[in-house]
Amino acid sequence: MNVTADDESTSVGASHSATASARRVTIDVPTERPDTAGDILFALRHLAVDYGTFRAVDDITLDIRRNEITAFIGPSGCGKTTVLRCFNRMNDLIDIARVSGSILYHGVDLYGPRIDPVEVRRRMGMVFQKPNPFPKSIHENIAFGPRIAGFKGNMDDLVEQSLRRAALWDEVKDKLRDSAYTLSGGQQQRLCIARAIATNPDVVLMDEPCSALDPIATVRIEELMTELKKDYTIIIVTHNMQQAARVSDRTAFFTVDVKDAGTRTGRLVEFDSTGKIFTKPSERATEDYITGRFG
């Protein structure tokens, strides 16, 4: 993987404002990816996020490995989604947000002052809690992103390929010009996954992608995630511990520290293989959460 940063420093603990520098550097991710499954794709070191004077999450250090599904679990308000939004710099869109520490992506600090956040987001597809198709046709939902990104190939072929990879093609191939709103909730979420991968990202971020779906649709999405990890690295936030146990390779458990003033700061308690987290966790707090004693 050739990632260029013009000798950009990747020092841990450096602070980064949400405003970007005028000088920009692109992140070059070639189509042929030499990395192998299990290689470290992201290295988070002492990551913290503040909203004004409020510290939302503090001192997060963990590694995300390529072609694996990593699940973030924990009680509401523990910072799972805040951390997820750090990968594609979505927190930059919040004026009072400030990220410190570092996220290294193939050794390059994604919050370096010469890194273009728009380029980062092109590499990190995102699927949200509720299906959010565009008010356009099924075909245009898939074609929109690649067209904006300057795709010059056969758009119909790309649309078909993306829908096939999202296990939706057979259900929609005869109604591609129909509105995406005519699809069921589960179909809309798979459409959003197809839209996310149409721009050929390196990573797919999923923020509770099944929380609004029925059990049958949830199974389809989980099966799809397992299939997609052959080509993508997936990070998922979920409140469904059974889902984390079923689909993920590694699990990070977050919790909340409540200060005297009532402020709540999320922190990472434990990060390990999913099998170990759910059968023999190292921390009592993890065991208490997964067995339902709190949370």
Side-chain angles (χ1 to χ4, degrees):
M1 178 80 60
N2 179 24
V3 183
T4 304
D6 286 357
D7 298 322
E8 176 59 38
S9 168
T10 57
S11 58
V12 172
S15 295
H16 316 289
S17 69
T19 58
S21 168
R23 294 182 62 197
R24 295 301 189 193
V25 171
T26 60
I27 303 175
D28 181 23
V29 181
T31 302
E32 294 184 4
R33 298 164 178 161
D35 309 81
T36 58
D39 287 347
I40 293 174
L41 185 65
F42 294 102
L44 281 65
R45 296 294 180 264
H46 308 292
L47 182 75
V49 181
D50 296 278
Y51 297 119
T53 60
F54 165 62
R55 174 145 291 189
V57 292
D58 190 33
D59 198 24
I60 308 298
T61 293
L62 56 82
D63 294 332
I64 303 293
R65 296 182 180 274
R66 189 171 187 81
N67 296 107
E68 290 188 350
I69 300 175
T70 300
F72 291 172
I73 64 171
S76 296
C78 68
K80 304 182 298 295
T81 295
T82 297
V83 173
L84 187 76
R85 289 166 59 93
C86 288
F87 289 97
N88 63 352
R89 296 189 55 167
M90 289 289 286
N91 290 319
D92 289 20
L93 304 177
I94 302 173
D95 289 340
I96 61 173
R98 177 177 173 273
V99 177
S100 58
S102 63
I103 299 182
L104 305 184
Y105 173 61
H106 292 284
V108 175
D109 189 350
L110 290 181
Y111 284 83
R114 296 197 299 272
I115 297 297
D116 186 351
V118 175
E119 180 71 13
V120 171
R121 291 176 199 128
R122 286 187 58 219
R123 307 302 177 189
M124 319 286 171
M126 191 159 188
V127 178
F128 294 91
Q129 188 171 7
K130 289 185 177 181
N132 60 342
F134 299 147
K136 300 176 181 291
S137 70
I138 295 168
H139 183 282
E140 188 60 21
N141 263 266
I142 306 301
F144 184 81
R147 185 180 298 117
I148 293 296
F151 178 72
K152 302 298 184 183
N154 187 307
M155 189 64 76
D156 289 342
D157 287 348
L158 178 63
V159 168
E160 179 178 346
Q161 179 188 51
S162 300
L163 289 169
R164 285 188 182 278
R165 297 180 100 172
L168 189 58
W169 173 252
D170 288 340
E171 298 169 43
V172 302
K173 61 184 179 182
D174 296 324
K175 49 183 179 180
L176 294 176
R177 304 300 171 181
D178 291 358
S179 169
Y181 291 158
T182 63
L183 301 176
S184 69
Q187 288 174 324
Q188 286 186 11
Q189 194 67 308
R190 279 183 284 148
L191 178 67
C192 292
I193 293 173
R195 185 179 68 195
I197 64 178
T199 54
N200 194 31
D202 203 25
V203 180
V204 179
L205 308 173
M206 296 186 170
D207 187 8
E208 298 188 60
C210 302
S211 63
L213 304 182
D214 61 61
I216 294 176
T218 295
V219 169
R220 296 292 300 274
I221 298 295
E222 290 179 358
E223 291 173 344
L224 177 57
M225 283 190 282
T226 302
E227 181 68 22
L228 288 175
K229 79 172 184 177
K230 297 174 184 176
D231 299 308
Y232 305 97
T233 300
I234 299 174
I235 307 173
I236 177 174
V237 166
T238 180
H239 279 285
N240 186 330
M241 286 181 289
Q242 291 76 21
Q243 180 175 77
R246 286 192 298 264
V247 304
S248 68
D249 299 287
R250 299 176 197 271
T251 297
F253 167 58
F254 294 77
T255 194
V256 180
D257 287 337
V258 181
K259 307 295 173 59
D260 293 339
T263 58
R264 299 161 60 89
T265 299
R267 66 178 176 89
L268 177 65
V269 176
E270 187 170 357
F271 179 58
D272 213 322
S273 68
T274 296
K276 187 174 185 302
I277 289 289
F278 281 92
T279 60
K280 195 176 181 181
S282 299
E283 300 294 331
R284 177 63 182 270
T286 309
E287 181 178 355
D288 287 348
Y289 182 75
I290 65 177
T291 56
R293 293 192 183 101
F294 85 93

